Amino acid sequence: GQQRKSGEPYIVHPIETATILAELRMDTDCIIAGLLHDTVEDTDVSAEEIRSRFGNGVARIVEGVTDGPKGVPDETNQCALLLAMSMDWRIVLVKLADRLHNMRTLGAMPPEKQRRIAKETLKVFAPLARVLGLYCIKEELEELGFRYSEPEARVALARRMDELAAQQ
Ligand code: ZN
């Protein structure tokens, strides 16, 4: 019964996150972890319960995502992400898929929050996607990051592109 800020049922978010992971041809544990990535944080389901129902592999990824960086951007986040990368790169993949879906639905957030999350995305997550060779995700994160962090510049740029196209 939970809903997101956009008014969408909350379940859409984990399903979309898992779908991104499936499109990347990630393994079963990783896709299941994508479905469950917010449960320990947002519900009273424990990591132990996830372990007993879905196995150690899924539980470890969900725990890694839960313990990892979230919310407010700072330098510590980047260190934590790098640490996560050295532990299990599937954790980073779930975080990237989570971020990509959050960026796709960022329009529902207040402008100040949009800008902050977009800047963090450009600073941390797009470079991470590039390092992992996930160029489609990198480009989408950059496009969305630019749209929400520099909305005026983006409008001006789009207008100029239209003008140039009209001159051809
Ligand atoms: Zn999430």
Side-chain angles (χ1 to χ4, degrees), residues 154-168:
R154 184 174 177 276
V155 169
L157 186 64
R159 193 176 301 132
R160 183 72 187 126
M161 299 278 275
D162 286 347
E163 282 169 14
L164 289 171
Q167 285 169 18
Q168 303 251 312

Side-chain angles (χ1 to χ4, degrees), residues 53-159:
R53 286 205 196 189
F54 299 98
N56 204 30
V58 172
R60 275 214 316 270
I61 301 171
V62 172
E63 281 175 307
V65 173
T66 307
D67 295 340
K70 48 189 169 269
V72 193
D74 59 33
E75 300 302 320
T76 331
N77 272 354
Q78 295 185 53
C79 297
L81 268 171
L82 289 172
L83 188 69
M85 262 180 100
S86 68
M87 283 156 38
D88 183 343
W89 57 282
R90 291 177 302 174
I91 294 168
V92 183
L93 264 291
V94 174
K95 291 221 57 104
L96 271 177
D98 179 36
R99 174 58 57 122
L100 181 55
H101 184 249
N102 283 336
M103 287 301 292
R104 285 175 179 170
T105 53
L106 198 60
M109 292 289 179
E112 225 4 81
K113 198 164 183 186
Q114 287 178 359
R115 213 171 289 242
R116 201 178 72 227
I117 293 174
K119 283 188 174 153
E120 182 188 47
T121 298
L122 291 174
K123 197 172 154 197
V124 181
F125 289 89
L128 254 179
R130 184 178 56 78
V131 166
L132 291 170
L134 303 168
Y135 299 110
C136 285
I137 291 185
K138 172 200 158 274
E139 273 173 28
E140 191 175 349
L141 287 174
E142 282 180 346
E143 156 66 22
L144 291 164
F146 184 46
R147 179 187 307 176
Y148 289 109
S149 67
E150 306 284 350
E152 299 85 5
R154 184 174 177 276
V155 169
L157 186 64
R159 193 176 301 132

Side-chain angles (χ1 to χ4, degrees), residues 10 13 37-38 98 102:
Y10 196 87
H13 170 64
H37 76 274
D38 281 330
D98 179 36
N102 283 336

